[in-house]
Structure formats: C-alpha cells, structure tokens
Amino acid sequence: MSQFADVAHLMKGRTIARIVLDAATIARRVRELGAEIGAAYPDGDLLVLGLLKGSFIFLSDLVRQIPRPLQVDFLVASSYGHETISSGVVRLVYDPETTLEGKHILLVEDIIDSGRTLNRLVDLLGERRPKSLEICALLHKRLTTDLRLDAKFVGFDAPHEFLVGYGLDHAEDFRQLPFVASLAD
Ligand code: IMP
Ligand code: MG
C-alpha cells in the first residue's frame, strides 16, 4: 500500500499533492540539527522554547537529539486563523512563566513564511534579557529578507506551497501526518 493510500482516511476528503519530506528524511535531519545545536551551546542554561502548536512534533523529536542539559517551555503566537494566508496579526496567547533572563533561548518554529510571527516574538523575548536568542526552524520558505533575526538552525528550505503534516496544519487538520506534504487544491 502506498503512503497515499495509507493516509487517505486521515485526509477529510482532501488530497495530498506530493510528499515533500518523508519521515526518514525528517528524522535524519533532526538528528543532525540536534548534534549541531548541542555543539553550538557549550555552557550555560539552555531553554528550548517551542512555538505552539506547529512545532510540537518537531520539538519533541529535536530535544531528544540534543546531547546537553536543557529545559523546555512553550508559547503560542497565532498569526493564522482558518486561512492559508497570513493575516499579519500576531497574537501572543501564552507567555512562559519561566525566567528567560541570563539563559540561552532557542526558539523553535515549524515554518518561516512571512516572518511576521518571529519578528514580533524576537522583540518581545529580547526584552526579557536572555543571554542569547536564536531561532531553529524545521522549514524556511526563504520568502522574506526582512527578518530581525534569521534562523541559525534550519532543517530544510521549503517550497512555496502550503504544507501540512509533522505538526503543520490546515485549519487545525493534518498535524498528525508523519511526513510533510503539500495539499492539492
Ligand atoms: P509567518 O508569520 O508568515 O512567518 O508564519 C508562520 C506561521 O504560519 C507558522 O508557524 C505556521 O503556523 C504558519 N504557516 C506558514 N506557512 C505554512 C504552511 O505552508 N503550512 C502550514 N502552516 C504554515
Ligand atoms: Mg498553523
């Protein structure tokens, strides 16, 4: 049975146009990223801050591949409603209670599209006086040159298509897919 046939019953009538990254490819790159991140932070407290909801699967795989002590927290910044186009409005729904001051903060994002979400967060988190602030994104569409802080760690450059799976949603659906795929119209 093909991967398409396997997941057809999860797709609520939508069709996968193409699998962009299969599960093995993602796992391999996540292992590499974990090693890179481990090597980049030799000392000091590291707080891995996951942007919900999109990063939840990536973050859980990633932290298990980072060979150094760390802590995990989450925040929610939502820039999309039930639309596939960025509204430009970024809402910070949950603010971590954890102290950021003096810690290395690694903000983990599923995908960088317009960069609006990150630009807003970088300003907000920078005010908390972390020891350092870096971004790790699973996917980067490379659409914007206007990032206040570009991602230091990137899993993959992403095609300019709407992607779902491995945490990424379309109107909250399809996050559970074990691969990243583009949706047919
Ligand atoms: P930005 O603020 O335009 O960079 O959008 C970032 C957020 O939009 C991501 O964290 C995702 O939640 C969402 N997003 C952007 N592109 C896609 C996509 O292709 N599929 C699913 N979600 C996306
Ligand atoms: Mg989303």
Side-chain angles (χ1 to χ4, degrees), residues 1-79:
M1 204 190 277
S2 76
Q3 280 188 96
F4 292 91
D6 260 338
V7 299
H9 64 290
L10 302 177
M11 297 305 299
K12 296 177 78 173
R14 296 295 298 263
T15 307
I16 287 170
R18 124 188 124 81
I19 293 182
V20 174
L21 298 167
D22 63 30
T25 304
I26 296 170
R28 212 179 309 122
R29 184 70 187 117
V30 169
R31 277 198 296 277
E32 288 173 2
L33 279 175
E36 268 180 53
I37 291 165
Y41 291 99
D43 50 46
D45 292 333
L46 173 61
L47 177 66
V48 180
L49 201 48
L51 250 176
L52 292 175
K53 301 173 199 170
S55 75
F56 81 109
I57 293 178
F58 174 45
L59 179 120
S60 67
D61 284 345
L62 181 68
V63 292
R64 285 178 285 178
Q65 301 295 336
I66 300 176
R68 81 183 300 288
L70 57 80
Q71 295 183 344
V72 175
D73 207 342
F74 296 96
L75 50 80
V76 182
S78 132
S79 69

Side-chain angles (χ1 to χ4, degrees), residues 58-136:
F58 174 45
L59 179 120
S60 67
D61 284 345
L62 181 68
V63 292
R64 285 178 285 178
Q65 301 295 336
I66 300 176
R68 81 183 300 288
L70 57 80
Q71 295 183 344
V72 175
D73 207 342
F74 296 96
L75 50 80
V76 182
S78 132
S79 69
Y80 285 62
H82 288 239
E83 306 292 329
T84 55
I85 309 164
S86 177
S87 63
V89 180
V90 176
R91 282 183 313 139
L92 193 57
V93 178
Y94 166 66
D95 211 0
E97 289 173 8
T98 322
T99 308
L100 305 192
E101 189 169 342
K103 294 179 181 168
H104 295 294
I105 306 301
L106 181 63
L107 190 58
V108 177
E109 167 76 307
D110 54 354
I111 185 165
I112 302 176
D113 186 350
S114 73
R116 284 193 194 98
T117 312
L118 281 179
N119 278 344
R120 170 91 201 288
L121 283 174
V122 162
D123 287 348
L124 285 172
L125 297 177
E127 288 166 12
R128 309 283 182 84
R129 309 207 306 157
K131 188 167 182 185
S132 70
L133 178 60
E134 299 292 355
I135 294 160
C136 175

